[in-house]
Amino acid sequence: VQLKELHRVLLNWYKKHGRALPWRTRTDPYAIWLSEIMLQQTRVETVIPYYQRFLKAFPDVITLADAPSDEVMKMWTGLGYYSRARNLQKCAQSVRDSFRGVFPTEFETLLELPGIGDYTASAISSIAGSEPRIALDGNLERILSRWLGVRENPKKEGRLTILSFGQKLAALGSAGDVNQALMDFANQVCLPKHPRCDLCPFANFCSAKATNSVSEIPYRAPKKEKVLLLAHGRIFIANNHLLIHRRPNGAWLAGLWDLPWWLETERSPKGLPKEGRRFTTCAVFRTITHHKIRFEVEAHILGVKTKPKDGFQWLSLAALSDLPLPKPSERALEMALNSLEGRKQI
Ligand code: ADE
């Protein structure tokens, strides 16, 4: 099959089967950049409501650059990988200070900005700047490894083969659509497990299919064992308020509002109230980078809302729907509140 034919079939497939996603109606690099940062490590369905809320709160790069960092963190809470949110604002401030607020679209310029690496610069420059660049993420690596029969690590030995093929494809035009077509194709047809080769318009072209090795390609790195850790957390409830704590600098999730929690090997945070009446303990797991943390949370009721110490704040339980906690804490809180209702103690 000719590359030109492949390119044509791919764009036609995209017209028919591409997903209507909120960032696809946007052309401004700010909105495209935001979508690409949110979509790193996070599923499309999870991102959509965050994306819409975030753009409403911070409609342009200057608003984001000037916003209190706490507000930015709040809007990000629940999306995970919080260094993205910190870099996000740093990047907005760089654009404000070094580019007079005009978000760049050139690949080389984008690479200079915080939080923007090769993949993100390729995605933004192709989608918002029409540069002929392939944006290789894990999904595209999978498709191209299969098409080309590359068995080597697509991030290492296999990269050059994949990248040069991808660049040729992008050079044929509409690189932004080529990238997004491949992302959707990876999501609907060329799935990691059990790909839908029966629906694939490229089945005749695909080396992996021809050699019956779709399940062996792409190369998969051996899984790293996660390190198990134990952490303690506290739910303090008083007068329908929950005590939240700002994660200290230098700790994991620094700057984020969360339940007060600390690793088994750390001291509990300074200013944590004296224990109240304990009503339950629950355990959930949370994952941070390559650590799996057993998070044991004691829930206590305090008679009165003590004046919060530095770094603490009482949050009305009703306000929790606007300010979500990180997912594991939300789950622990939900379990605790359920147990409380079960006992009709409130
Ligand atoms: N993942 C990363 N970027 C994406 C995009 N623009 N559309 C869909 N999924 C994506």
Side-chain angles (χ1 to χ4, degrees), residues 59 67 80 138 142 170 179 181-182 191 198 229 242 247 264 276 278 296 302 318 329-330 340:
R142 179 172 67 255
N179 284 321
L182 288 168
L191 305 167
D198 53 325
L229 295 174
L242 172 75
R247 302 281 305 147
E264 184 186 30
R278 187 175 70 195
E296 291 183 350
L302 296 184
S329 301
E330 283 220 311
L340 199 57

mmCIF file of all heavy atoms in Angstrom, residues 59 67 80 138 142 170 179 181-182 191 198 229 242 247 264 276 278 296 302 318 329-330 340:
data_model
loop_
_atom_site.group_PDB
_atom_site.id
_atom_site.type_symbol
_atom_site.label_atom_id
_atom_site.label_comp_id
_atom_site.label_asym_id
_atom_site.label_seq_id
_atom_site.Cartn_x
_atom_site.Cartn_y
_atom_site.Cartn_z
ATOM 1 N N PRO A 59 -10.175 31.464 31.058
ATOM 2 C CA PRO A 59 -10.446 31.417 29.614
ATOM 3 C C PRO A 59 -9.243 31.738 28.737
ATOM 4 O O PRO A 59 -9.248 31.410 27.558
ATOM 5 C CB PRO A 59 -11.566 32.444 29.406
ATOM 6 C CG PRO A 59 -11.524 33.322 30.609
ATOM 7 C CD PRO A 59 -10.953 32.521 31.727
ATOM 8 N N ALA A 67 -3.685 33.929 38.064
ATOM 9 C CA ALA A 67 -4.576 33.357 39.088
ATOM 10 C C ALA A 67 -3.777 32.921 40.324
ATOM 11 O O ALA A 67 -2.603 32.569 40.210
ATOM 12 C CB ALA A 67 -5.308 32.160 38.503
ATOM 13 N N GLY A 80 -5.170 14.169 39.267
ATOM 14 C CA GLY A 80 -3.933 13.441 39.562
ATOM 15 C C GLY A 80 -2.700 14.017 38.872
ATOM 16 O O GLY A 80 -2.809 14.978 38.115
ATOM 17 N N GLY A 138 2.029 6.677 23.533
ATOM 18 C CA GLY A 138 1.965 5.217 23.590
ATOM 19 C C GLY A 138 1.003 4.636 22.564
ATOM 20 O O GLY A 138 1.242 3.562 22.007
ATOM 21 N N ARG A 142 1.967 2.141 19.483
ATOM 22 C CA ARG A 142 1.380 0.815 19.314
ATOM 23 C C ARG A 142 0.957 0.587 17.861
ATOM 24 O O ARG A 142 1.289 -0.445 17.257
ATOM 25 C CB ARG A 142 0.175 0.646 20.241
ATOM 26 C CG ARG A 142 -0.508 -0.701 20.114
ATOM 27 C CD ARG A 142 -1.561 -0.918 21.169
ATOM 28 N NE ARG A 142 -2.715 -0.053 21.050
ATOM 29 C CZ ARG A 142 -2.970 1.000 21.819
ATOM 30 N NH1 ARG A 142 -2.155 1.343 22.783
ATOM 31 N NH2 ARG A 142 -4.051 1.732 21.635
ATOM 32 N N ALA A 170 2.800 12.479 8.440
ATOM 33 C CA ALA A 170 2.391 13.832 8.820
ATOM 34 C C ALA A 170 2.710 14.830 7.713
ATOM 35 O O ALA A 170 1.980 15.796 7.501
ATOM 36 C CB ALA A 170 3.079 14.240 10.120
ATOM 37 N N ASN A 179 -2.686 13.059 13.521
ATOM 38 C CA ASN A 179 -2.410 12.669 14.906
ATOM 39 C C ASN A 179 -3.686 12.285 15.644
ATOM 40 O O ASN A 179 -3.742 11.253 16.311
ATOM 41 C CB ASN A 179 -1.705 13.811 15.640
ATOM 42 C CG ASN A 179 -0.239 13.912 15.251
ATOM 43 O OD1 ASN A 179 0.432 12.903 15.074
ATOM 44 N ND2 ASN A 179 0.242 15.134 15.108
ATOM 45 N N ALA A 181 -6.542 11.435 14.375
ATOM 46 C CA ALA A 181 -7.142 10.239 13.776
ATOM 47 C C ALA A 181 -6.487 8.992 14.373
ATOM 48 O O ALA A 181 -7.163 8.036 14.752
ATOM 49 C CB ALA A 181 -6.944 10.262 12.261
ATOM 50 N N LEU A 182 -5.165 9.029 14.484
ATOM 51 C CA LEU A 182 -4.457 7.866 15.025
ATOM 52 C C LEU A 182 -4.811 7.641 16.493
ATOM 53 O O LEU A 182 -4.943 6.509 16.943
ATOM 54 C CB LEU A 182 -2.946 8.034 14.835
ATOM 55 C CG LEU A 182 -2.468 7.880 13.381
ATOM 56 C CD1 LEU A 182 -1.018 8.342 13.224
ATOM 57 C CD2 LEU A 182 -2.607 6.428 12.894
ATOM 58 N N LEU A 191 -6.698 -1.605 19.550
ATOM 59 C CA LEU A 191 -6.666 -1.623 21.015
ATOM 60 C C LEU A 191 -5.454 -2.404 21.519
ATOM 61 O O LEU A 191 -4.960 -3.287 20.835
ATOM 62 C CB LEU A 191 -7.955 -2.290 21.525
ATOM 63 C CG LEU A 191 -9.258 -1.671 21.023
ATOM 64 C CD1 LEU A 191 -10.439 -2.587 21.320
ATOM 65 C CD2 LEU A 191 -9.466 -0.308 21.650
ATOM 66 N N ASP A 198 -10.937 -6.978 12.659
ATOM 67 C CA ASP A 198 -12.064 -7.174 11.747
ATOM 68 C C ASP A 198 -12.620 -5.842 11.228
ATOM 69 O O ASP A 198 -13.210 -5.784 10.168
ATOM 70 C CB ASP A 198 -13.170 -7.985 12.451
ATOM 71 C CG ASP A 198 -13.575 -7.371 13.796
ATOM 72 O OD1 ASP A 198 -12.695 -6.824 14.502
ATOM 73 O OD2 ASP A 198 -14.772 -7.423 14.139
ATOM 74 N N LEU A 229 3.746 0.958 50.675
ATOM 75 C CA LEU A 229 3.969 1.828 51.835
ATOM 76 C C LEU A 229 2.680 1.930 52.639
ATOM 77 O O LEU A 229 1.595 1.653 52.134
ATOM 78 C CB LEU A 229 4.378 3.236 51.383
ATOM 79 C CG LEU A 229 5.705 3.388 50.646
ATOM 80 C CD1 LEU A 229 5.861 4.813 50.159
ATOM 81 C CD2 LEU A 229 6.869 3.016 51.557
ATOM 82 N N LEU A 242 -15.578 19.455 57.508
ATOM 83 C CA LEU A 242 -14.465 18.506 57.425
ATOM 84 C C LEU A 242 -13.162 19.288 57.495
ATOM 85 O O LEU A 242 -13.022 20.339 56.863
ATOM 86 C CB LEU A 242 -14.545 17.766 56.077
ATOM 87 C CG LEU A 242 -13.348 16.873 55.725
ATOM 88 C CD1 LEU A 242 -13.386 15.595 56.554
ATOM 89 C CD2 LEU A 242 -13.348 16.540 54.234
ATOM 90 N N ARG A 247 -1.120 20.093 51.695
ATOM 91 C CA ARG A 247 0.073 19.252 51.704
ATOM 92 C C ARG A 247 1.320 20.124 51.762
ATOM 93 O O ARG A 247 1.458 21.060 50.970
ATOM 94 C CB ARG A 247 0.121 18.373 50.444
ATOM 95 C CG ARG A 247 -1.087 17.471 50.263
ATOM 96 C CD ARG A 247 -1.061 16.237 51.118
ATOM 97 N NE ARG A 247 0.140 15.470 50.928
ATOM 98 C CZ ARG A 247 0.734 14.757 51.891
ATOM 99 N NH1 ARG A 247 0.226 14.733 53.106
ATOM 100 N NH2 ARG A 247 1.830 14.070 51.624
ATOM 101 N N GLU A 264 3.845 6.418 57.290
ATOM 102 C CA GLU A 264 4.206 5.740 58.525
ATOM 103 C C GLU A 264 5.560 6.225 59.054
ATOM 104 O O GLU A 264 5.791 6.287 60.257
ATOM 105 C CB GLU A 264 4.284 4.252 58.188
ATOM 106 C CG GLU A 264 4.552 3.327 59.292
ATOM 107 C CD GLU A 264 4.748 1.917 58.737
ATOM 108 O OE1 GLU A 264 5.219 1.767 57.589
ATOM 109 O OE2 GLU A 264 4.410 0.977 59.463
ATOM 110 N N GLY A 276 -10.717 13.101 68.639
ATOM 111 C CA GLY A 276 -12.056 13.271 69.183
ATOM 112 C C GLY A 276 -12.642 11.912 69.496
ATOM 113 O O GLY A 276 -11.955 11.021 69.981
ATOM 114 N N ARG A 278 -13.626 8.574 68.064
ATOM 115 C CA ARG A 278 -13.408 7.825 66.832
ATOM 116 C C ARG A 278 -14.634 6.994 66.516
ATOM 117 O O ARG A 278 -15.164 6.321 67.382
ATOM 118 C CB ARG A 278 -12.194 6.924 66.954
ATOM 119 C CG ARG A 278 -11.877 6.270 65.615
ATOM 120 C CD ARG A 278 -10.635 5.480 65.649
ATOM 121 N NE ARG A 278 -10.818 4.296 66.457
ATOM 122 C CZ ARG A 278 -9.830 3.550 66.899
ATOM 123 N NH1 ARG A 278 -8.589 3.901 66.637
ATOM 124 N NH2 ARG A 278 -10.054 2.481 67.613
ATOM 125 N N GLU A 296 -4.623 4.272 55.646
ATOM 126 C CA GLU A 296 -5.543 3.920 56.741
ATOM 127 C C GLU A 296 -6.049 5.202 57.377
ATOM 128 O O GLU A 296 -5.280 5.981 57.917
ATOM 129 C CB GLU A 296 -4.825 3.048 57.777
ATOM 130 C CG GLU A 296 -4.502 1.684 57.222
ATOM 131 C CD GLU A 296 -3.843 0.757 58.238
ATOM 132 O OE1 GLU A 296 -3.464 1.230 59.333
ATOM 133 O OE2 GLU A 296 -3.722 -0.435 57.910
ATOM 134 N N LEU A 302 -15.412 15.686 66.346
ATOM 135 C CA LEU A 302 -15.021 16.643 67.385
ATOM 136 C C LEU A 302 -16.282 17.332 67.890
ATOM 137 O O LEU A 302 -17.203 17.591 67.110
ATOM 138 C CB LEU A 302 -14.060 17.697 66.832
ATOM 139 C CG LEU A 302 -12.693 17.213 66.343
ATOM 140 C CD1 LEU A 302 -11.844 18.404 65.928
ATOM 141 C CD2 LEU A 302 -11.974 16.411 67.408
ATOM 142 N N ALA A 318 -21.095 20.358 52.570
ATOM 143 C CA ALA A 318 -21.899 20.714 51.393
ATOM 144 C C ALA A 318 -21.018 21.279 50.281
ATOM 145 O O ALA A 318 -21.332 21.152 49.099
ATOM 146 C CB ALA A 318 -22.978 21.712 51.770
ATOM 147 N N SER A 329 -9.039 9.908 48.875
ATOM 148 C CA SER A 329 -9.590 10.550 50.064
ATOM 149 C C SER A 329 -11.112 10.647 49.965
ATOM 150 O O SER A 329 -11.817 10.481 50.956
ATOM 151 C CB SER A 329 -8.993 11.949 50.228
ATOM 152 O OG SER A 329 -7.597 11.853 50.345
ATOM 153 N N GLU A 330 -11.587 10.926 48.754
ATOM 154 C CA GLU A 330 -13.033 10.956 48.552
ATOM 155 C C GLU A 330 -13.661 9.619 48.907
ATOM 156 O O GLU A 330 -14.707 9.561 49.546
ATOM 157 C CB GLU A 330 -13.347 11.269 47.082
ATOM 158 C CG GLU A 330 -13.180 12.711 46.725
ATOM 159 C CD GLU A 330 -14.279 13.175 45.781
ATOM 160 O OE1 GLU A 330 -14.516 12.484 44.779
ATOM 161 O OE2 GLU A 330 -14.892 14.220 46.076
ATOM 162 N N LEU A 340 -21.261 6.335 59.363
ATOM 163 C CA LEU A 340 -21.855 7.238 60.341
ATOM 164 C C LEU A 340 -23.380 7.250 60.197
ATOM 165 O O LEU A 340 -24.114 7.170 61.169
ATOM 166 C CB LEU A 340 -21.283 8.644 60.105
ATOM 167 C CG LEU A 340 -21.392 9.650 61.237
ATOM 168 C CD1 LEU A 340 -20.734 9.117 62.481
ATOM 169 C CD2 LEU A 340 -20.737 10.949 60.812
#
